[in-house]
Amino acid sequence: MDKEICLILKNDLDEVCGYILCAKDLKAYEKNAYPYYLTLKELDEVKAERFPNANRELERFYPEYPAHIHIDILKEYTGNGVCSKLMQALFEVLKEEKVPGICVLVDTNNKRAVRFYEKMGFKAFEENPGIMLCKLD
């Protein structure tokens, strides 16, 4: 079973203001997340359809980029370098665990997110720029 990683960003008041969730193994993540997908499907059929389609897109990168991340940071805590530090901390954990690469799905209309991922070393997949990949050397 995959052990997911969660890094939490807190402010000076010890309040959570962001996080990175990382599944080191996309296939294990899919298996573990499937019950939540079924619940989501009952609540919102349109959003639920994104789940299997997105993961099918990522499967072709699995051998080289098995980790999958989700990041959510409150806007007022972005732009000051803490998100980069959080991502660097994740990179270190994944390197220690010998994970070769990370894949992420990003909304290409979210230019700020795209720039952040590029700054962190991710590259957009040419055929689908909403898929960004990062090798961990």
Side-chain angles (χ1 to χ4, degrees):
M1 177 180 267
D2 185 39
K3 291 188 267 175
E4 287 84 9
I5 299 166
C6 179
L7 300 177
I8 298 173
L9 179 65
K10 292 186 175 183
N11 64 17
D12 293 338
L13 300 174
D14 205 36
E15 300 167 326
V16 173
C17 49
Y19 60 84
I20 297 178
L21 297 176
C22 176
K24 295 184 296 184
D25 184 312
L26 177 65
K27 291 183 181 186
Y29 160 75
E30 286 178 328
K31 182 179 174 186
N32 294 338
Y34 191 72
Y36 301 103
Y37 160 72
L38 294 177
T39 301
L40 178 62
K41 192 170 182 173
E42 290 175 15
L43 298 173
D44 189 332
E45 185 77 29
V46 174
K47 285 184 182 175
E49 285 311 307
R50 294 180 193 158
F51 179 83
N53 293 336
N55 289 339
R56 271 194 294 278
E57 280 285 307
L58 297 177
E59 277 185 21
R60 71 171 117 171
F61 305 107
Y62 178 76
E64 289 184 85
Y65 304 91
H68 176 62
I69 60 172
H70 174 75
I71 300 175
D72 196 3
I73 308 289
L74 294 175
K75 189 171 184 172
E76 59 266 28
Y77 292 94
T78 62
N80 59 8
V82 294
C83 299
S84 297
K85 289 179 185 174
L86 197 61
M87 184 69 84
Q88 286 297 334
L90 175 66
F91 287 171
E92 292 305 314
V93 170
L94 293 175
K95 286 177 186 178
E96 286 175 17
E97 305 231 1
K98 310 268 190 271
V99 175
I102 306 170
C103 61
V104 66
L105 293 170
V106 62
D107 179 354
T108 55
N109 293 319
N110 187 342
K111 302 299 182 197
R112 191 171 188 183
V114 170
R115 282 192 307 272
F116 171 74
Y117 286 120
E118 289 174 341
K119 177 182 151 192
M120 298 309 304
F122 286 77
K123 303 236 185 299
F125 178 59
E126 290 177 17
E127 294 173 31
N128 182 344
I131 296 174
M132 298 191 79
L133 308 167
C134 183
K135 272 292 203 193
L136 298 172
D137 299 320

